[in-house]
Amino acid sequence: MATGVDILYDHYKVSNSMLQSNLKDREKFFRSLFIFEVLNIIFLHQPLEFAKIIQNSLNLSQNIKIESTSFLVTSLQIVISVAISYLLIRYFQSNIRAERQYSYISKLENELTAKADTDMFCRESTEYSRNYPFVLNIIDIFYKFIIPLILLSLHLVKICSFLEVITQDFNIVSFIEIIIDTFLIILVIAYVCLMKRYISNSAH
């Protein structure tokens, strides 16, 4: 018959497995986000050339003929922005979920340590904070803060470029892009504030 320690340990193993799965998801969303942001930068600088490459690729590989390059430019612009919005939200969700899981697993370790009368369960609690290498700390900051702040800067630049366009010649696509990028900037600011609060709470 399973004891309280056995049940707690099984739950601890499941929680660790969920954490590792979440970290893999974070990597996947980060890589996808990076690719779309690079495409976004290229597209902003060379929209017609980028659209023609896509147009030729579709014509050759899928036999899909798109005659209007301007329509393709508009469609790609919106698709890339929507994809970035989705990936950014999922990336932030993964980071926040990981932070909460670390805190929860730390509590489980403390409970296991008390119930099992051993100090071996401390990987994510006391051992994690005491022997955390400097390089890993930099990587942690990179994922949680540096990447979001870089994205914030990119989308601020993008908003400025669209504002310049819209003041000269108003068009609905530029207006939609400004709304999407404003939403992303607000999202980044909210995320950074939330992560700072989580880290502050876990430090106490």
Side-chain angles (χ1 to χ4, degrees):
M1 184 176 180
T3 64
V5 175
D6 293 330
I7 294 170
L8 195 60
Y9 182 61
D10 286 340
H11 182 54
Y12 174 71
K13 289 191 291 184
V14 171
S15 298
N16 267 301
S17 178
M18 289 173 62
L19 174 61
Q20 295 309 312
S21 175
N22 183 74
L23 292 176
K24 287 179 183 178
D25 285 343
R26 183 177 72 173
E27 288 295 322
K28 179 180 69 176
F29 291 128
F30 170 71
R31 287 194 294 267
S32 301
L33 182 62
F34 177 78
I35 291 168
F36 272 94
E37 284 290 4
V38 169
L39 291 176
N40 190 31
I41 293 169
I42 295 171
F43 186 78
L44 285 174
H45 285 85
Q46 303 290 338
L48 290 176
E49 289 79 358
F50 187 87
K52 285 176 182 177
I53 292 171
I54 300 296
Q55 193 174 26
N56 293 333
S57 299
L58 290 172
N59 288 341
L60 291 172
S61 62
Q62 303 296 328
N63 200 25
I64 300 173
K65 296 190 181 296
I66 300 174
E67 301 298 333
S68 175
T69 305
S70 61
F71 170 77
L72 186 58
V73 167
T74 301
S75 301
L76 286 172
Q77 203 167 40
I78 293 173
V79 167
I80 290 173
S81 292
V82 171
I84 288 172
S85 301
Y86 170 77
L87 291 168
L88 189 64
I89 289 170
R90 295 304 305 271
Y91 175 70
F92 286 169
Q93 281 180 331
S94 299
N95 263 332
I96 293 168
R97 193 178 293 121
E99 194 66 29
R100 294 184 67 180
Q101 284 174 328
Y102 275 122
S103 177
Y104 183 68
I105 289 172
S106 176
K107 291 177 182 178
L108 283 176
E109 286 184 345
N110 291 334
E111 190 71 18
L112 276 168
T113 298
K115 286 185 179 296
D117 195 23
T118 177
D119 59 356
M120 291 303 295
F121 293 102
C122 58
R123 184 177 58 197
E124 306 297 345
S125 51
T126 55
E127 191 68 19
Y128 179 84
S129 57
R130 185 172 61 237
N131 295 320
Y132 201 60
F134 176 76
V135 174
L136 290 181
N137 196 40
I138 295 296
I139 293 171
D140 191 52
I141 293 170
F142 175 79
Y143 274 115
K144 292 176 183 175
F145 296 109
I146 295 176
I147 288 297
L149 292 176
I150 290 173
L151 294 175
L152 178 68
S153 302
L154 285 174
H155 289 283
L156 276 172
V157 171
K158 189 178 171 186
I159 282 180
C160 291
S161 66
F162 277 113
L163 281 173
E164 187 176 335
V165 170
I166 210 168
T167 51
Q168 295 174 0
D169 182 25
F170 179 83
N171 66 81
I172 191 65
V173 176
S174 296
F175 183 68
I176 292 171
E177 286 292 312
I178 289 171
I179 292 174
I180 292 173
D181 284 295
T182 303
F183 164 74
L184 292 178
I185 287 170
I186 294 170
L187 185 66
V188 171
I189 293 170
Y191 161 80
V192 170
C193 292
L194 186 62
M195 288 302 294
K196 285 182 69 176
R197 192 180 73 182
Y198 272 125
I199 292 170
S200 176
N201 289 341
S202 62
H204 289 85

